[in-house]
Amino acid sequence: MHNIKYIRDNFDEFKKKIQNRNVNFDLDKLRNLDIKNRELIHKKETLEKEKKDISKKKDKSLFEKSKIISQQIETITNEQKIAKDELNDILSNLPNVALENVPVGIDETFNEVVSTHGEIKKLDFKPKSHFELGENLKMLDFDLATKTTSSRFVFVKSELASLERAISNYMIDLHTKINGYVEVSPPLIANENTMFGTGQLPKFENDQFELLLDDKLDRKFLIPTAEVILTNMVKNKILNIKDLPIRLVASTPCFRKEAGSYGKDTRGMIRQHQFYKVELVSIVENNKCEEELERMTKCAMMVLDNLELPYRKIILSTGDMGFSAEKTYDIEVWLPSENKYREISSCSSCGTFQSNRMQTRYKDANNENKHPGTLNGSGLAVGRTLIAVMENYQNKDGTINIPKVLQPYMNNKDKISLN
RNA sequence: GGAGAGAUGGCCGAGCGGUUUAAGGCGCACGCUUGGAAAGCGUGUAAAGAGGAAACUCUUUCAUGGGUUCGAAUCCCAUUCUCUCCGCCA
């Protein structure tokens, strides 16, 4: 969420930046509501002062007047509340604005490749897709998941299940032991305010799995990413600057409705309603966001370097970034069966956008309260890493070699084959 | 699930309808003291919003939302959360 004071003071510049995000908002309406809101606040405060003075004097002859003032305050308060709600409604739905060095464009075609890494192996046979490989090995079962649950779920079995767990454990170990993140095992359910804090609500309600509970007042949602619950660990807090940066990592299941992606990636486990992801979150001083974004992206790329998987780093354009982001790098891994790169990680700086929503602050050197920067990134998506390992490490006979760094996590086995 | 108690500044904790402008303590910051430290003494220590160039002024906030009253941290109602005991249970 943006600070209304900032919008007020930098109106034209802000308007242009919002337009770059490829959304259409009536910002003049916002400005008028802000003016109206402040006028009403001023009126209200004048009356409140008057009423307070009467109360202090304890003069019975003024009590009737105080009653009348109370009624006036009530009227103005209601009016002000309407203006404030309308104002907040617009603000809550307004996306973050991009940093200056983000390419401007309306969609993903304006994204730019920053760098490419690793060697794409030349295979002397036609590479199979991960779902062909998995089904032949009898270790991926999509039909069974459809039977027990629905489409876009999968059973991972036997050594592929171990491999998935190995990937997750390897990534957690790397980020805790080498990259300085603290491991967290968080709740997988978030309440409405938490979902608001990171920007999933109110705008993206349709993408979320909501739990049907008896208690209708406090809504609960399955987390679509650990970013939600990890970032909100600092909500409503004033942090000590000495505690920054805070770096957190968690491996959790993620739940997404994938509404609006009908017919997209319907085969295989590229796009599922449930998947594991190792998530990185950083809370930093507000002037260190870009520096931290580079660091975080490196931490994610380190996983692919060590797994010896070919990938490239992309910077997203203003039109393709997520709602809360001010700058985003996607990391895309090479998938031989599709003969193209596919997203395996997304690292974003959200600047102070989320900390404004969460009301997180820290005391800076001058003892002033500042909103910290928040960042999140996949380090990496576990399901998609499994896919990438299967496809890139496949042999002609349908067996899959196990990457060196994962072998210690797999009882030192070096190959997965049909039992 | 049953019964009871509670929620007050960063923390502990007083308060029971009108000098609460939230006592007192701890912690923290600065100063005095000291060869240096500790102790001691002194001073200062919440947030959000509005106005203002600034100094500063004003308003709100005692879990949250309503209500009673000229006036609510204090009384009433609802909700949320915490603790104790019992039951159930991984």
Side-chain angles (χ1 to χ4, degrees):
Chain A
M1 192 140 80
H2 296 283
N3 189 337
I4 184 74
K5 277 188 209 163
Y6 174 83
I7 299 177
R8 198 185 292 156
D9 297 340
N10 305 275
F11 190 73
D12 293 328
E13 183 198 343
F14 183 79
K15 198 169 174 179
K16 192 167 162 258
K17 283 182 175 173
I18 282 291
Q19 280 162 354
N20 283 344
R21 290 302 313 267
N22 199 24
V23 288
N24 200 13
F25 271 97
D26 189 352
L27 289 181
D28 292 306
K29 187 181 172 191
L30 182 77
R31 178 155 64 175
N32 290 334
L33 279 168
D34 177 43
I35 292 165
K36 187 179 171 192
N37 181 43
R38 281 185 293 150
E39 275 171 4
L40 290 169
I41 286 172
H42 188 75
K43 267 193 206 170
K44 187 173 94 172
E45 288 184 354
T46 310
L47 289 168
E48 276 168 347
K49 171 99 176 94
E50 208 175 329
K51 183 175 158 182
K52 211 174 173 181
D53 289 340
I54 292 174
S55 172
K56 269 185 195 161
K57 280 181 198 152
K58 290 189 239 174
D59 179 348
K60 277 185 186 164
S61 66
L62 293 170
F63 285 176
E64 273 309 307
K65 192 183 173 194
S66 181
K67 272 191 182 179
I68 293 163
I69 293 172
S70 289
Q71 284 166 4
Q72 289 172 328
I73 289 175
E74 201 185 332
T75 311
I76 292 172
T77 302
N78 289 337
E79 213 178 323
Q80 189 254 330
K81 209 180 160 217
I82 290 166
K84 185 76 194 293
D85 285 350
E86 231 176 309
L87 187 74
N88 276 339
D89 187 56
I90 297 176
L91 278 179
S92 309
N93 285 287
L94 218 48
N96 202 351
V97 294
L99 295 176
E100 297 293 345
N101 52 18
V102 170
V104 175
I106 54 166
D107 58 26
E108 71 275 7
T109 58
F110 292 85
N111 297 347
E112 292 170 9
V113 177
V114 179
S115 57
T116 350
H117 307 253
E119 291 275 314
I120 295 171
K121 271 188 246 169
K122 294 263 186 281
L123 300 175
D124 57 0
F125 57 93
K126 186 173 182 287
K128 293 192 180 71
S129 70
H130 70 279
F131 49 86
E132 284 177 274
L133 290 162
E135 286 180 329
N136 290 343
L137 287 165
K138 304 198 184 307
M139 296 181 193
L140 285 185
D141 199 330
F142 294 94
D143 295 340
L144 181 60
T146 305
K147 204 156 69 174
T148 61
T149 311
S150 82
S151 63
R152 289 206 193 282
F153 288 88
V154 67
F155 278 87
V156 183
K157 297 190 285 192
S158 187
E159 284 160 306
L160 273 189
S162 306
L163 185 62
E164 185 179 42
R165 188 157 49 88
I167 288 168
S168 178
N169 286 346
Y170 170 69
M171 295 195 292
I172 291 270
D173 284 347
L174 181 73
H175 295 312
T176 53
K177 289 174 188 166
I178 310 289
N179 292 331
Y181 288 81
V182 173
E183 183 174 1
V184 179
S185 174
L188 305 179
I189 293 172
N191 63 25
E192 195 171 1
N193 178 261
T194 295
M195 296 289 277
F196 176 84
T198 31
Q200 279 71 27
L201 293 181
K203 214 178 169 188
F204 305 98
E205 192 180 323
N206 287 340
D207 296 332
Q208 315 304 331
F209 279 107
E210 180 170 2
L211 298 173
L212 191 62
L213 302 175
D214 297 337
D215 171 21
K216 299 260 172 21
L217 287 172
D218 195 20
R219 303 167 73 194
K220 302 280 195 295
F221 300 84
L222 292 174
I223 55 169
T225 157
E227 168 205 345
V228 172
I229 202 91
L230 293 181
T231 309
N232 274 281
M233 283 170 73
V234 296
K235 103 168 142 184
N236 261 312
K237 260 187 147 180
I238 300 177
L239 303 164
N240 193 326
I241 194 168
K242 289 178 205 152
D243 297 331
L244 301 180
I246 296 171
R247 296 194 177 106
L248 308 167
V249 59
S251 176
T252 70
C254 303
F255 303 91
R256 296 184 185 177
K257 270 200 184 164
E258 295 297 343
S261 60
Y262 302 110
K264 214 178 188 181
D265 302 316
T266 48
R267 296 212 61 189
M269 54 185 294
I270 282 272
R271 194 174 301 276
Q272 300 272 287
H273 287 312
Q274 178 192 325
F275 57 94
Y276 286 97
K277 182 156 60 71
V278 170
E279 182 75 359
L280 305 172
V281 160
S282 298
I283 316 290
V284 302
E285 289 172 58
N286 60 13
N287 57 345
K288 297 199 172 148
C289 290
E290 286 207 76
E291 190 184 313
E292 184 71 11
L293 179 62
E294 297 301 325
R295 184 188 189 279
M296 178 180 273
T297 311
K298 271 188 195 143
C299 293
M301 294 194 301
M302 193 186 288
V303 178
L304 290 167
D305 286 331
N306 295 357
L307 288 172
E308 298 178 66
L309 292 168
Y311 65 94
R312 62 182 190 178
K313 178 181 171 187
I314 305 280
I315 182 165
L316 298 192
S317 78
T318 53
D320 198 30
M321 288 195 303
F323 180 75
S324 299
E326 62 175 13
K327 183 174 182 178
T328 299
Y329 292 119
D330 271 10
I331 298 167
E332 299 181 331
V333 71
W334 179 255
L335 289 189
S337 74
E338 299 193 14
N339 200 38
K340 67 180 181 196
Y341 289 97
R342 292 298 300 256
E343 180 188 340
I344 197 167
S345 170
S346 188
C347 298
S348 300
S349 168
C350 299
T352 58
F353 187 82
Q354 292 180 324
S355 59
N356 259 298
R357 292 171 92 89
M358 297 188 297
Q359 290 167 13
T360 304
R361 289 139 295 169
Y362 68 96
K363 297 238 181 246
D364 70 4
N366 301 322
N367 218 30
E368 281 176 55
N369 288 333
K370 291 274 162 62
H371 292 284
T374 64
L375 296 95
N376 63 81
S378 358
L380 313 160
V382 175
R384 289 192 179 178
T385 307
L386 180 69
I387 292 172
V389 168
M390 288 171 73
E391 294 202 4
N392 283 281
Y393 280 82
Q394 64 178 296
N395 301 307
K396 197 171 182 177
D397 62 359
T399 59
I400 295 162
N401 296 338
I402 298 171
K404 276 199 197 73
V405 292
L406 296 182
Q407 289 173 12
Y409 293 84
M410 295 286 290
N411 289 320
N412 293 314
K413 285 192 67 160
D414 59 6
K415 195 191 255 191
I416 293 175
S417 42
L418 189 61
N419 293 317

